[in-house]
Amino acid sequence: MLKFHQIILRKFLLLFAFLFLLVGAIVHYWTYDYYIDSSKKALIQDISLLSFTINNRTNFDALARKIKKNLQLRFTVIAKDGTVIAEGYKDKTSMENHRYRPEIMQADNEKFGEIIRHSHTLNKDMLYIAKKIELKNKIIYIRLAKELKGIYHEFVNLGIKISAVVILFFIILFFMSYKINTQIQYETNKIVDFLKALTKKEKPTYITSHYSQEFALITSLLTKISKILAKKEKQHDKYTKKLQNSNRQKDDIISAISHEFKNPIAVVNGYSQTLLEDESINPSIRKKFLTKINNNGTKLSELIDTLRLSMKLDGKTQSIQTHQTNLNELVNETVQTLQLTYPQKHIMIQGDKSIIVNVDKTLFGVVMSNLIENALKYSEDEVIVKISKRSIEVIDTGIGISEKNLEKITEKFYRVQQNSWNNSLGLGLFLVNKIITLHHFTLTISSKVNEGSTFKVEF
Ligand SMILES: Nc1ncnc2c1ncn2[C@@H]1O[C@H](COP(=O)(O)OP(=O)(O)OP(=O)(O)O)[C@@H](O)[C@H]1O
Ligand SMILES: [Mg+2]
């Protein structure tokens, strides 16, 4: 494909050639006619002047010589019968009768006789003007002739001058358009470079042009497009990062869940296999093994229950059935169960033992169990459960939670990175928060790293 300046140059040369031929043709026809015409007029003027100056005493031969010498014109005098009386260019005696020369015949009837024809006498193309005059009651014809070659010469001179002007005009036009073209080339190159950079994502931010309104508009639109693309790119990057993040989170969650299931399943498999292989096993060991299998089965079903409950709460399909419940009794039951798993830990229940609240017993049991278990898991010392008329608090003096993590710990599957994954899904506080919201209670968490945490549920 051709470049822009090549297209312009090609078109320009074509136009130049066409116009040059056209102008040449016009100049040729127009100037040729013009020159013949003006020569004719000059000859008519000359012959009219001559007709006034000629009289009886005029020496025609001398006059013819003079006209030839000074004006380079052929002067002929012809008698009524056609005999040549005087002639500037040839010996008149050798000349034939001129009675029937067309210009002479025309001069007979009209004011002037005029013709362009070949002269047999001189063997040249000539322009003739003839006039009939009366001298001493005698009719004679005077005739002036000009060689066409001379006329043609003058015409060519003019043609050359006009052509020179036309060529000069074209050269100026060419340079002007060449300059405009170079500038346009520069502007388009700028745009092309900008677009190339855009496709390579080299982050071009803006492009300007002050050459013309059109270029200014194009470049400002391109700048806008580049900005939009950069914005889109940024959004795309952000979206991709978010997607990657959420994928990673999902992977983490799946690996955490499978990890939680793996242990109890391994225990169930291991002990049951031992029991199957060794039938003569000691009854007390057999009972120990069966208890382990049973405990881990319970753990598995609890894990599944937690997952199911979290899905129900998340999908807002969990309903609550509230009953007047004695808080102290509910907490006691929970503590007793937890104490089995954490036998060496001390849990202290403080406050009014007769407080009754309207709660869903099972769900609120989940709340208390999670809060107390967290306190047991994340602290070494004793755990206090404080019951009052308006609230219940679970207090520990453990590792605490940083401010950054405080905002996130109630999210589904969120766990503080440093804490071990063992025996945790990161669902406990998510369930707690959802259940408390369902009861229209409020949960306030206050915590300090290395000092401990307080989880307060207000009714
Ligand atoms: N009392 C606490 N002291 C310090 N950190 C806590 C306490 N309670 C919760 N956390 C932090 O908040 C995170 C989220 O708690 P959550 O109860 O939701 O999950 P989990 O205890 O890790 O797992 P799950 O309860 O599902 O077994 C925990 O991983 C832990 O890092
Ligand atoms: Mg927990």
Side-chain angles (χ1 to χ4, degrees):
M1 208 179 284
L2 291 176
K3 283 194 167 179
F4 188 61
H5 72 270
Q6 290 170 324
I7 296 171
I8 295 257
L9 193 70
R10 196 179 260 200
K11 293 250 148 97
F12 191 86
L13 284 177
L14 265 172
L15 186 76
F16 180 78
F18 171 72
L19 279 179
F20 193 75
L21 285 175
L22 189 76
V23 168
I26 291 170
V27 164
H28 182 271
Y29 287 107
W30 179 66
T31 51
Y32 186 76
D33 279 353
Y34 170 77
Y35 261 92
I36 294 288
D37 214 47
S38 53
S39 300
K40 213 187 275 171
K41 276 185 186 146
L43 283 183
I44 286 172
Q45 244 173 23
D46 290 348
I47 211 162
S48 305
L49 264 172
L50 275 172
S51 69
F52 289 125
T53 52
I54 287 170
N55 55 40
N56 296 333
R57 288 169 308 234
T58 307
N59 180 345
F60 287 127
D61 289 325
L63 184 63
R65 278 195 301 274
K66 234 186 219 171
I67 289 172
K68 182 191 177 186
K69 195 182 163 203
N70 296 328
L71 302 173
Q72 284 85 46
L73 293 176
R74 181 182 170 195
F75 180 62
T76 320
V77 184
I78 301 142
K80 178 121 181 38
D81 60 359
T83 326
V84 176
I85 301 169
E87 160 66 42
Y89 274 63
K90 226 177 160 190
D91 175 18
K92 60 184 176 191
T93 52
S94 65
M95 286 169 73
E96 50 188 85
N97 190 289
H98 273 45
R99 181 69 199 99
Y100 297 106
R101 292 290 192 269
E103 67 275 7
I104 300 299
M105 291 195 313
Q106 195 186 357
D108 240 353
N109 307 316
E110 290 166 36
K111 209 171 169 193
F112 300 102
E114 57 176 69
I115 195 165
I116 294 169
R117 64 171 175 82
H118 189 75
S119 160
H120 295 290
T121 322
L122 300 181
N123 197 20
K124 279 173 184 167
D125 287 334
M126 302 202 83
L127 167 65
Y128 291 97
I129 298 291
K131 187 171 168 58
K132 184 171 80 178
I133 54 173
E134 216 182 300
L135 211 64
K136 263 202 292 177
N137 298 327
K138 251 167 81 186
I139 297 289
I140 60 162
Y141 302 97
I142 54 172
R143 190 180 73 172
L144 272 178
K146 190 175 181 175
E147 209 181 308
L148 271 189
K149 216 170 145 191
I151 296 173
Y152 193 71
H153 189 68
E154 284 169 43
F155 150 74
V156 168
N157 266 347
L158 182 76
I160 288 170
K161 275 178 200 158
I162 291 175
S163 301
V165 169
V166 170
I167 289 170
L168 194 73
F169 169 74
F170 268 102
I171 288 171
I172 292 168
L173 200 70
F174 179 79
F175 274 105
M176 271 168 68
S177 54
Y178 180 77
K179 270 209 88 174
I180 293 170
N181 171 49
T182 354
Q183 188 65 34
I184 289 174
Q185 188 77 40
Y186 171 75
E187 298 295 333
T188 43
N189 281 348
K190 220 162 67 176
I191 291 172
V192 168
D193 288 345
F194 177 83
L195 288 173
K196 272 186 190 163
L198 205 66
T199 53
K200 285 182 192 156
K201 290 185 188 165
E202 278 171 13
K203 285 190 184 162
T205 43
Y206 75 95
I207 176 174
T208 49
S209 168
H210 304 292
Y211 182 59
S212 72
Q213 264 185 18
E214 288 84 350
F215 276 113
L217 184 66
I218 290 171
T219 50
S220 90
L221 285 174
L222 280 176
T223 306
K224 253 185 204 163
I225 289 172
S226 145
K227 277 183 186 161
I228 291 169
L229 283 179
K231 208 173 152 190
K232 285 252 162 79
E233 188 74 18
K234 223 172 160 183
Q235 278 173 346
H236 184 255
D237 283 353
K238 216 170 141 186
Y239 181 72
T240 317
K241 259 188 203 141
K242 219 171 152 184
L243 218 65
Q244 281 171 344
N245 225 2
S246 116
N247 274 348
R248 206 174 308 126
Q249 263 176 14
K250 279 210 174 96
D251 287 350
D252 286 352
I253 288 162
I254 290 169
S255 87
I257 293 173
S258 33
H259 186 257
E260 286 312 301
F261 277 82
K262 219 170 156 184
N263 264 345
I265 288 170
V267 171
V268 171
N269 280 344
Y271 285 109
S272 55
Q273 207 171 355
T274 316
L275 287 174
L276 279 172
E277 280 167 5
D278 188 1
E279 281 176 23
S280 61
I281 207 158
N282 181 317
S284 73
I285 296 177
R286 183 190 200 89
K287 196 181 173 194
K288 209 172 148 191
F289 281 10
L290 284 170
T291 316
K292 285 218 189 249
I293 290 170
N294 183 262
N295 284 347
N296 280 281
T298 315
K299 213 179 199 172
L300 279 171
S301 91
E302 276 171 7
L303 276 172
I304 291 166
D305 284 347
T306 309
L307 280 170
R308 269 178 54 195
L309 183 61
S310 82
M311 272 183 335
K312 274 186 167 176
L313 285 167
D314 205 19
K316 296 191 174 78
T317 53
Q318 177 70 41
S319 57
I320 54 167
Q321 264 126 33
T322 54
H323 300 281
Q324 297 291 328
T325 313
N326 183 300
L327 260 190
N328 192 60
E329 278 171 21
L330 190 132
V331 171
N332 252 318
E333 270 172 42
T334 313
V335 167
Q336 269 169 33
T337 321
L338 283 171
Q339 208 77 73
L340 294 174
T341 332
Y342 301 88
Q344 62 277 67
K345 289 274 179 83
H346 187 229
I347 306 161
M348 201 159 73
I349 306 169
Q350 296 178 347
D352 199 334
K353 289 196 169 135
S354 60
I355 302 285
I356 306 282
V357 278
N358 199 26
V359 292
D360 183 309
K361 217 177 156 191
T362 323
L363 291 179
F364 207 73
V366 172
V367 170
M368 289 326 295
S369 154
N370 268 295
L371 290 181
I372 298 168
E373 188 172 10
N374 277 352
L376 291 168
K377 274 204 295 193
Y378 304 113
S379 81
E380 297 296 328
D381 305 321
E382 68 168 8
V383 172
I384 302 166
V385 182
K386 220 189 245 176
I387 304 169
S388 74
K389 219 177 156 186
R390 315 192 73 194
S391 66
I392 180 164
E393 286 169 85
V394 180
I395 304 159
D396 71 69
T397 49
I399 57 168
I401 305 152
S402 70
E403 222 169 286
K404 190 184 94 197
N405 286 317
L406 261 183
E407 298 165 15
K408 298 181 178 168
I409 51 169
T410 52
E411 283 173 17
K412 200 164 49 170
F413 297 110
Y414 187 83
R415 301 176 68 256
V416 177
Q417 290 292 313
Q418 307 92 288
N419 304 342
S420 84
W421 278 99
N422 220 3
N423 218 5
S424 298
L425 278 177
L427 277 176
L429 287 181
F430 171 75
L431 298 180
V432 168
N433 195 38
K434 287 276 175 191
I435 295 167
I436 286 172
T437 314
L438 267 178
H439 281 84
H440 303 292
F441 297 160
T442 52
L443 173 72
T444 324
I445 309 165
S446 39
S447 183
K448 253 190 179 162
V449 177
N450 295 329
E451 284 184 24
S453 321
T454 301
F455 288 78
K456 186 179 186 182
V457 180
E458 283 171 287
F459 314 126

